[in-house]
Amino acid sequence: RTGFPSVGFRAANASTTASVSAFSNKLVEAYILSGLISVDKAVALAHEDGPDALKALEAVGVAKQATIELGKQIFYGTNTTFGGDASGFPGFLGTYDSTNMVVDAGGTTDNVSSSAWIVATGTQDVQLVLGNGKAMDLSEWREETVSGVPSFVADLTGWIGLQVVNPYSVCRIKKLTTDSGMGLTDALIAEALSKFPVGMQPNYIFCNRRSRMQLHKSRTVTLYGGPGTSKPAGSVELVAPMPTEAFGIPIITTDSI
């Protein structure tokens, strides 16, 4: 949506001009995500639980790896420096508004720098686009000779794209490092939330385990005691619970960042 219908006050019995919203059609391209499994037939037949058990184990493995690759692609897209795939869809790093929807945490150590992403999902915001109406499909197992070895073979295939059509759908907190005071905090998250228009509520905060740990430590405080009946007898550390949300928004911890 790029515009709303016209609305205004009118006098009694005065006419109102009909109007409609304005929309912009945008093309979101899906890309092929693919994996091929090949299991030595002799090894499969010798498996203690039978060949079907080994096939199932390999199927779970390729599905998990596909999820890992998909996660990295969502954040880094075609940027291969940070783990993206040049043959895949553009990710947040290449599509978000890097001028208006960014908060700089101020870290200066590049090789330990990370980001947290605050995202609004939905049909007008961020969502995955699945070609052919499904995410991924694992074929039936078949027998083939692979590099001269009789094998059981199956292939995983999916058409997947990432829709980021609203410039206010994604905000990045960048340069989160191990430098003192440069980790993720509630203050940085609050600043990032201020970038979203009033009335627009993000759904998720994505970060890695280190950033979650930094947020946890920032929420842990120490009360220093002293003389007097109303004060603690000594210094008391109040350990915060492991962060699961900030300002009512769920925190999703991922190894893809």
Side-chain angles (χ1 to χ4, degrees), residues 1 23-26 28 120-129 162-166 169 200 203:
R1 186 195 302 273
F23 291 93
S24 174
N25 290 324
K26 296 187 178 182
V28 179
T121 63
T123 57
Q124 294 290 304
D125 297 295
V126 173
Q127 65 178 5
L128 289 173
V129 175
L162 180 66
Q163 169 187 299
V164 187
V165 296
N166 188 331
S169 295
M200 185 175 185
N203 303 74

Side-chain angles (χ1 to χ4, degrees), residues 81-201:
T81 301
F82 301 112
D85 191 328
S87 298
F89 54 77
F92 290 160
L93 194 61
T95 57
Y96 86 106
D97 184 345
S98 59
T99 300
N100 301 302
M101 298 297 289
V102 62
V103 174
D104 192 337
T108 57
T109 309
D110 288 342
N111 63 339
V112 293
S113 184
S114 184
S115 297
W117 297 89
I118 302 180
V119 181
T121 63
T123 57
Q124 294 290 304
D125 297 295
V126 173
Q127 65 178 5
L128 289 173
V129 175
L130 310 178
N132 297 325
K134 53 187 176 182
M136 292 175 283
D137 179 65
L138 183 65
S139 70
E140 295 292 332
W141 289 88
R142 57 192 182 272
E143 291 190 33
E144 292 184 4
T145 299
V146 179
S147 299
V149 179
S151 305
F152 292 116
V153 177
D155 56 88
L156 181 77
T157 305
W159 288 85
I160 304 179
L162 180 66
Q163 169 187 299
V164 187
V165 296
N166 188 331
Y168 297 105
S169 295
V170 179
C171 185
R172 178 189 181 193
I173 303 175
K174 67 177 184 178
K175 296 185 180 179
L176 297 167
T177 68
T178 55
D179 300 317
S180 178
M182 302 304 174
L184 184 62
T185 64
D186 286 305
L188 289 172
I189 295 174
E191 184 177 351
L193 291 176
S194 72
K195 305 287 185 179
F196 290 85
V198 173
M200 185 175 185
Q201 178 70 4

Side-chain angles (χ1 to χ4, degrees), residues 8-96:
F9 295 97
R10 67 175 178 84
N13 300 317
S15 63
T16 298
T17 302
S19 62
V20 296
S21 296
F23 291 93
S24 174
N25 290 324
K26 296 187 178 182
L27 175 67
V28 179
E29 188 175 357
Y31 295 75
I32 301 173
L33 180 66
S34 180
L36 183 66
I37 320 169
S38 177
V39 179
D40 188 321
K41 181 178 178 180
V43 173
L45 294 174
H47 192 275
E48 60 181 1
D49 294 322
D52 288 342
L54 184 57
K55 291 176 185 178
L57 194 63
E58 289 292 348
V60 170
V62 74
K64 286 185 175 181
Q65 186 60 35
T67 304
I68 292 170
E69 295 299 325
L70 180 58
K72 290 190 294 185
Q73 198 69 21
I74 288 172
F75 295 106
Y76 299 114
T78 56
N79 190 314
T80 57
T81 301
F82 301 112
D85 191 328
S87 298
F89 54 77
F92 290 160
L93 194 61
T95 57
Y96 86 106

